[in-house]
Amino acid sequence: MAPKRSRPEEKTLLQVDPQGMFRGMVVFLIERGVQPRRLQIWKQKLIQMGAVIEDKFRMTVTHVFGMNLEYILQELDIKKLKRFKGYNILPYEWLENSLKSGEKIPEDSYALKVPLEGENDSDKPAASAHSEMFNSNHLRDDSKNRSIKSSMEDVKLMCRVKKDTEKTGDLGYNLGRPEPKDNELSLLYNPPDLNRKVTEIFGKLINIYRALGDERRSFSYYKAIPVIEKLPFTIESVEQVKHLPAIGKSMKEHIQEIVTTGKLSKLEHFEHDEKVRTLTLFGEIWGIGPATALKLYEKGHRSLNDLKNEESLSHAQRLGLQYFDDIKKKIPREKAKEMESLLQKVGGAILPGVIIVCGGSYRRGKAFCGDLDMIITHPDGQSHKGFLAKYVKYLKDIKFLREDLVFSTHSEEGTDSGVDTYFGLCTEPDLDQRHRIDLKVYPRDIYAFGLIAWTGNDVLNRRLRLLAESKGYRLDDTGLFVATQGSHGKRGAKSSASVHCHSEREVFDVLGFPGWTTSEEF
């Protein structure tokens, strides 16, 4: 049966603003290297916000978009490009960042340059600083005898490049990476949050309910936020969201109150309650959960200063307290990319071929990250053993890693599925600002499960675990296991052997998870 075609009248559902931020732009899109779903969303957003999309490269075109200059030159004849004047060639990163910020950002620092006459076109194309850094960060170093010390001098220099050369135009994390199939979860789109007031209030309620140990209520707000974030309109009435998933009766009432009054009485009540306020504050310290926060409150502590002489705090909790303000500060995406590149280069110098991916909110395409979640493996399935100890030592020697929170190695002993773990605090080169960083080294045969667990947010991960249970499995970051029969209606233990899945795609296929290539689950 032929695929069902969309009816012509469906096009009229696309609300177009002729005065939108992309008005006056006539766009030609290079499709090479772009996930179809992602390209479709970009096209819709361009049209909605006033742009015109051409199906061919014509004289009327004002902007050409592509993943990078190499792909653009593969699709468009370089002589033709040189003949046309008055247009800009931009990476899709410019478009995505403009959508995230809600306004057109300057094009100059993103613009990709066509090689000038007299340059050797067979060499690396001349491009913007973004493309230059992309090539230097991701292409394999051909010098096999280059020392780690020499490699690190390049890394330190790269990390001091001025802000206007930070972005690389690398939107899809499969570009320049081994085994792109393992990175398909990252092909996401994150539109601007037009209902920030609602999502900010819900975010505060998440933290409050977590501090109170009420995970059920906390999770309900967690589910609602991504649904609201992706709305292409500003909510003016609860009628606009009454049919949305994850928006129940009480959630609708909250939204109605917020859009009507600009505030939520429930949140104000919590914020004026001393116990709730204190538990929420203590719960934001790394290593302190709801139970510990309650014990500290019951001891009479009410502020961070009160905890400085608390003898019951562990070493890790004291570090969380000491660097509380640093850890709370978000990491801009550009800085996270810079640190990821450093970590990849150091890792490659220590162990050639090692795969190091920054997961979490960075891999989900967010503009800011709470911390760095690095997921690591080696394709041969053996060389990852013992890597983490050498890696951590070298990163400490160059003063990238500063304080340890958790450090456990299992790969050489074969315990705990052979996963090595390091949690700690790191800094950018020549700076004292601390950031949280997690390093997880997985054997190659369970790497896909680690990628899913450390990329997806709580909503996706919980949904996947529930789906796995409904099909008789137990899912975690080390595998998908057949569940044994439990007694009295309780879950049984997981079997010793995991279902073999080489990639994230295969995990989703086994579970029958619908729509896994879209961003709705993140």
Side-chain angles (χ1 to χ4, degrees):
M1 182 181 294
K4 183 180 179 181
R5 296 184 178 182
S6 60
R7 291 174 291 183
E9 60 265 30
E10 289 179 349
K11 295 181 180 179
T12 62
L13 297 176
L14 198 63
Q15 298 179 357
V16 176
D17 179 7
Q19 299 303 313
M21 66 175 174
F22 299 133
R23 64 185 178 277
M25 292 176 58
V26 181
V27 177
F28 181 71
L29 303 176
I30 302 297
E31 299 183 6
R32 183 182 292 266
V34 187
Q35 185 196 36
R37 168 64 176 164
R38 198 178 199 189
L39 185 67
Q40 179 187 7
I41 294 173
W42 280 336
K43 286 181 178 180
Q44 290 175 350
K45 287 299 173 184
L46 283 165
I47 295 171
Q48 282 179 312
M49 298 181 184
V52 174
I53 297 179
E54 291 282 12
D55 59 353
K56 293 183 179 179
F57 184 62
R58 298 183 172 92
M59 289 285 291
T60 55
V61 169
T62 62
H63 292 77
V64 176
F65 287 99
M67 290 302 288
N68 54 42
L69 187 59
E70 181 183 357
Y71 284 169
I72 293 172
L73 294 180
Q74 287 174 6
E75 293 291 322
L76 297 177
D77 181 72
I78 190 169
K79 293 181 180 179
K80 181 185 292 186
L81 282 171
K82 289 177 180 177
R83 286 201 304 269
F84 288 105
K85 304 295 181 182
Y87 63 86
N88 281 332
I89 302 178
L90 297 170
Y92 283 116
E93 185 183 27
W94 176 89
L95 175 59
E96 184 160 280
N97 287 344
S98 293
L99 289 167
K100 287 176 182 175
S101 65
E103 60 182 6
K104 285 175 67 176
I105 56 181
E107 299 176 7
D108 293 345
S109 63
Y110 288 81
L112 305 174
K113 309 293 185 191
V114 177
L116 301 174
E117 294 294 338
E119 291 181 340
N120 187 349
D121 291 345
S122 64
D123 295 336
K124 179 182 66 177
S128 68
H130 302 273
S131 296
E132 292 290 348
M133 188 179 289
F134 173 81
N135 290 329
S136 66
N137 290 352
H138 295 278
L139 294 181
R140 182 174 297 173
D141 185 1
D142 292 329
S143 176
K144 295 182 180 179
N145 297 320
R146 188 176 186 185
S147 68
I148 296 177
K149 181 177 179 181
S150 174
S151 176
M152 281 312 305
E153 290 303 315
D154 289 348
V155 172
K156 290 179 180 178
L157 178 63
M158 177 186 68
C159 290
R160 289 195 289 267
V161 175
K162 292 182 180 179
K163 186 174 182 180
D164 62 353
T165 63
E166 287 175 357
K167 301 180 181 69
T168 67
D170 179 14
L171 287 176
Y173 311 108
N174 58 331
L175 294 180
R177 296 281 181 83
E179 300 183 310
K181 287 184 179 179
D182 278 353
N183 292 307
E184 288 172 318
L185 268 179
S186 65
L187 299 177
L188 306 176
Y189 168 75
N190 292 278
D193 184 358
L194 302 178
N195 298 282
R196 193 175 302 277
K197 187 69 175 178
V198 176
T199 55
E200 284 180 351
I201 289 176
F202 283 6
K204 292 177 180 179
L205 289 172
I206 288 172
N207 293 332
I208 288 171
Y209 280 119
R210 278 180 174 170
L212 295 174
D214 191 338
E215 285 295 329
R216 184 182 65 81
R217 281 193 173 88
S218 174
F219 188 65
S220 67
Y221 290 101
Y222 206 112
K223 286 192 300 182
I225 285 178
V227 175
I228 297 169
E229 279 181 335
K230 291 174 176 62
L231 294 176
F233 56 83
T234 301
I235 301 172
E236 297 177 351
S237 167
V238 73
E239 290 297 311
Q240 295 172 285
V241 298
K242 65 180 182 180
H243 298 303
L244 291 178
I247 309 295
K249 182 176 182 293
S250 62
M251 207 73 67
K252 292 173 189 173
E253 292 172 354
H254 291 344
I255 293 172
Q256 183 65 55
E257 182 179 349
I258 296 169
V259 299
T260 303
T261 67
K263 56 187 180 181
L264 184 64
S265 56
K266 183 176 188 176
L267 176 62
E268 291 183 337
H269 169 73
F270 279 138
E271 290 178 336
H272 286 91
D273 186 299
E274 182 188 61
K275 182 177 181 179
V276 172
R277 198 167 59 242
T278 305
L279 293 179
T280 303
L281 175 65
F282 291 171
E284 291 176 349
I285 301 171
W286 194 91
I288 293 182
T292 302
L294 181 59
K295 289 178 181 178
L296 295 171
Y297 177 82
E298 290 173 345
K299 283 187 174 185
H301 298 306
R302 297 294 182 268
S303 69
L304 297 182
N305 283 332
D306 292 347
L307 299 179
K308 289 182 178 179
N309 297 318
E310 173 55 49
E311 295 180 355
S312 68
L313 295 183
S314 67
H315 173 69
Q317 290 167 341
R318 289 188 182 280
L319 287 173
L321 177 62
Q322 180 181 350
Y323 294 106
F324 180 82
D325 292 332
D326 277 10
I327 293 172
K328 282 201 69 175
K329 291 178 181 176
K330 297 285 188 179
I331 309 171
R333 182 171 186 80
E334 293 81 5
K335 291 296 182 184
K337 177 185 284 290
E338 202 172 79
M339 288 189 279
E340 182 196 38
S341 296
L342 182 153
L343 290 163
Q344 289 170 338
K345 197 153 192 174
V346 171
I350 295 172
L351 177 61
V354 68
I355 299 172
I356 302 175
V357 174
C358 187
S361 53
Y362 176 82
R363 193 165 179 244
R364 298 200 305 272
K366 301 297 183 182
F368 291 90
C369 312
D371 57 10
L372 298 176
D373 298 309
M374 310 306 300
I375 314 112
I376 304 167
T377 195
H378 195 279
D380 68 11
Q382 294 296 324
S383 298
H384 69 283
K385 296 178 181 179
F387 168 75
L388 186 60
K390 299 174 187 175
Y391 194 43
V392 167
K393 182 182 183 304
Y394 198 87
L395 290 171
K396 285 183 176 181
D397 288 344
I398 64 171
K399 299 190 183 305
F400 180 81
L401 292 181
R402 305 300 287 270
E403 290 82 20
D404 302 339
L405 297 171
V406 175
F407 195 179
S408 63
T409 55
H410 300 276
S411 59
E412 293 180 297
E413 296 82 4
T415 56
D416 195 28
S417 299
V419 179
D420 293 339
T421 298
Y422 175 88
F423 295 164
L425 302 178
C426 68
T427 63
E428 302 165 50
D430 303 325
L431 296 177
D432 290 327
Q433 168 78 46
R434 261 48 170 191
H435 301 296
R436 275 276 298 109
I437 184 169
D438 298 338
L439 307 174
K440 298 285 289 188
V441 182
Y442 288 87
R444 180 64 189 88
D445 59 349
I446 62 171
Y447 183 57
F449 301 101
L451 279 173
I452 291 174
W454 290 90
T455 297
N457 63 15
D458 291 354
V459 176
L460 175 68
N461 288 337
R462 179 178 290 197
R463 190 170 296 175
L464 287 173
R465 288 196 299 270
L466 291 173
L467 179 61
E469 289 175 17
S470 72
K471 294 178 179 292
Y473 293 104
R474 294 280 297 279
L475 174 69
D476 59 30
D477 71 316
T478 64
L480 181 64
F481 307 89
V482 175
T484 60
Q485 185 66 38
S487 59
H488 305 294
K490 295 182 179 180
R491 291 191 307 171
K494 64 184 184 183
S495 60
S496 58
S498 170
V499 176
H500 179 72
C501 293
H502 187 77
S503 67
E504 293 163 295
R505 177 194 290 269
E506 290 180 16
V507 178
F508 286 115
D509 285 346
V510 170
L511 293 177
F513 186 70
W516 64 271
T517 56
T518 70
S519 62
E520 280 75 9
E521 306 308 328
F522 291 91

